[in-house]
Amino acid sequence: MNELKGKKILITGGTGSLGQALTKRLLGEKVNEIRIFSRNENKQVMMQSELNEDRLRFLIGDIRDLSRIQRAVEDVDIVFHAAALKHVPVIELNPFEGINTNVVGSRNVIESCIHEDVEVVVGIGTDKAVSPLNTYGATKLLMEKLFVTASNYVNKERHRTKFISLRYGNVLGSSGSVIPKFISQIKAKQKITITDPTMTRFSITMDEALNFILESAMTGKGSEVFVPKLRAFTIETVKEALQELLENTGEIRVPVRQGEKYHETLINLDEMRTTIETDSKYVILQKVPTDDEIKTYSAGRKTSLTKSYSSDSVKMITKDELKKLIVQSKLV
Ligand SMILES: NC(=O)c1ccc[n+]([C@@H]2O[C@H](COP(=O)([O-])OP(=O)(O)OC[C@H]3O[C@@H](n4cnc5c(N)ncnc54)[C@H](OP(=O)(O)O)[C@@H]3O)[C@@H](O)[C@H]2O)c1
């Protein structure tokens, strides 16, 4: 696949933070149709009235329901699979629900896409899936595994479907993440709740995430996990940046949440053997690539990583840089 022009696209979780931003970006391309698939009708009605676009179709449905998602992908060329339950503490308390949506739902998306001969299917994954500590991460690891092994179910003579999966870290300002949480605490004149100021998280802006998602969809050959090269911030930096941009309402220490890591990992040591890199990203393959296979990725080379790619091992975003990103992303 090398262009979006004329394509019919389905976004599962199209009303979420990523889904809405992706929809707006795709509307700027000459796509034929974008189907938004999610459960909550109110979110869809609000999105419909905000965007008011003929190329949008709003479909109520649950990815747990195979027949519904199968109908939704009829005639579709590209699927971005973003629907998920993603709040770590919620899934710790409701693990069966996490499994039903993130694992069984993803399986339904995959089966439907093979059946309907969709061209490319992109699974939106997370760093929390790497050596997972919490149930959310474990469910997203399974989602990723289902995506990179889905080609085993594709009869190449009858179907063309390519599946790729992506992994990245915190999308700056996305729903439920640390920045909107601190902003709402400050605006309510409350103290910011800090677990450990030295905790680190990989960071990506929504625009960077969209570029990465679209580029991966265009260039993926199938069965890869794509990982962008990212920087990280400490929680202390987030706190200081927001206190300077808004107000210092103080802070209180709270215990580290169940299932929360101090540092996140995007690629673990064992995955290095099958990982190659380009200037902007890493590509995790399903087996050790030959030199010829490496060359098929533009500017591809063996990775120079020698230890796990974790958020305490990269260059930290400074307070001033973060302030700039927060303002540019219109979060305050
Ligand atoms: N945000 C981040 O920092 C981040 C980082 C890495 C990866 N990711 C991944 O990126 C994806 C999108 O994240 P986001 O921040 O946009 O999440 P979000 O804002 O919570 O949106 C989730 C979307 O999924 C839909 N959804 C949930 N359960 C569903 C179901 N059973 N059937 C159909 N739709 C369902 C929701 O709508 P309804 O509730 O109306 O169904 C909503 O549209 C997720 O897969 C997440 O794991 C996010």
Side-chain angles (χ1 to χ4, degrees):
M1 193 189 82
N2 46 26
E3 61 173 322
L4 292 163
K5 194 173 163 198
K7 300 289 183 189
K8 287 188 180 170
I9 294 168
L10 173 86
I11 307 176
T12 71
T15 56
S17 309
L18 173 68
Q20 295 215 27
L22 183 57
T23 303
K24 287 176 193 160
R25 171 69 73 89
L26 289 170
L27 286 172
E29 306 285 336
K30 291 190 167 59
V31 299
N32 180 299
E33 181 179 308
I34 305 173
R35 298 182 192 170
I36 304 296
F37 186 94
S38 65
R39 297 164 306 170
N40 184 303
E41 64 171 349
N42 195 42
K43 284 193 229 167
Q44 291 199 358
V45 170
M46 281 166 56
M47 187 172 166
Q48 188 166 22
S49 74
E50 186 201 333
L51 296 177
N52 192 21
E53 240 284 348
D54 289 346
R55 288 174 294 162
L56 288 180
R57 304 275 180 280
F58 287 87
L59 285 70
I60 296 287
D62 190 322
I63 54 168
R64 297 179 185 190
D65 178 351
L66 177 62
S67 62
R68 179 69 187 106
I69 185 76
Q70 193 143 326
R71 181 61 59 88
V73 298
E74 269 175 20
D75 257 352
V76 162
D77 302 297
I78 308 168
V79 171
F80 295 99
H81 175 42
L85 295 178
K86 67 161 195 185
H87 291 268
V88 170
V90 173
I91 300 176
E92 288 306 294
L93 288 171
N94 302 274
F96 295 173
E97 302 306 312
I99 291 167
N100 282 337
T101 296
N102 297 355
V103 183
V104 179
S106 297
R107 175 201 162 154
N108 290 338
V109 170
I110 289 168
E111 295 228 37
S112 309
C113 290
I114 294 173
H115 190 266
E116 295 301 322
D117 203 24
V118 171
E119 202 177 329
V120 185
V121 191
V122 181
I124 310 294
T126 163
D127 50 7
K128 292 190 170 57
V130 183
S131 314
L133 183 65
N134 51 56
T135 314
Y136 167 59
T139 61
K140 293 295 282 192
L141 172 62
L142 279 172
M143 180 218 82
E144 186 185 289
K145 292 287 180 202
L146 294 179
F147 265 70
V148 295
T149 56
S151 67
N152 295 335
Y153 293 95
V154 178
N155 176 339
K156 307 278 184 316
E157 279 164 24
R158 288 172 42 208
H159 296 289
R160 57 180 170 164
T161 314
K162 280 193 289 191
F163 291 90
I164 62 167
S165 197
L166 315 181
R167 268 184 208 166
Y168 51 75
N170 278 38
V171 179
L172 214 66
S174 64
S175 63
S177 64
V178 62
I179 291 181
K181 182 177 171 186
F182 284 179
I183 291 174
S184 68
Q185 288 174 332
I186 293 173
K187 287 191 171 160
K189 307 279 179 204
Q190 292 166 355
K191 293 180 175 172
I192 288 179
T193 48
I194 301 270
T195 48
D196 186 317
T198 62
M199 267 188 185
T200 60
R201 291 292 179 264
F202 281 110
S203 174
I204 185 166
T205 66
M206 187 59 90
D207 270 348
E208 288 167 340
L210 295 177
N211 293 340
F212 173 66
I213 291 168
L214 294 177
E215 193 207 295
S216 304
M218 303 291 163
T219 58
K221 302 178 202 313
S223 302
E224 309 101 322
V225 179
F226 288 100
V227 180
K229 292 186 174 175
L230 296 179
R231 289 174 66 193
F233 52 63
T234 65
I235 300 304
E236 178 79 357
T237 304
V238 177
K239 181 199 81 172
E240 289 177 352
L242 287 174
Q243 285 177 336
E244 287 185 17
L245 283 169
L246 297 167
E247 186 186 342
N248 185 347
T249 54
E251 64 180 268
I252 45 168
R253 287 296 182 90
V254 292
V256 173
R257 294 182 311 182
Q258 197 182 350
E260 196 169 21
K261 286 185 181 176
Y262 276 87
H263 308 291
E264 297 289 355
T265 302
L266 269 168
I267 309 175
N268 72 30
L269 197 54
D270 294 307
E271 293 174 315
M272 297 300 160
R273 278 175 291 130
T274 59
T275 299
I276 64 164
E277 68 177 279
T278 70
D279 292 342
S280 61
K281 61 177 178 282
Y282 297 98
V283 187
I284 307 171
L285 302 164
Q286 292 309 295
K287 60 179 181 55
V288 180
T290 62
D291 289 347
D292 284 344
E293 280 165 342
I294 294 175
K295 280 189 210 137
T296 63
Y297 291 88
S298 168
R301 52 192 183 268
K302 282 183 184 154
T303 180
S304 59
L305 288 171
T306 52
K307 53 182 184 161
S308 72
Y309 183 46
S310 50
S311 55
D312 58 339
S313 71
V314 295
K315 194 168 169 219
M316 290 297 139
I317 299 173
T318 66
K319 181 183 64 185
D320 288 338
E321 286 171 332
L322 188 61
K323 279 166 71 178
K324 215 183 255 176
L325 288 172
I326 290 171
V327 172
Q328 274 167 3
S329 305
K330 300 190 175 73
L331 301 179
V332 290

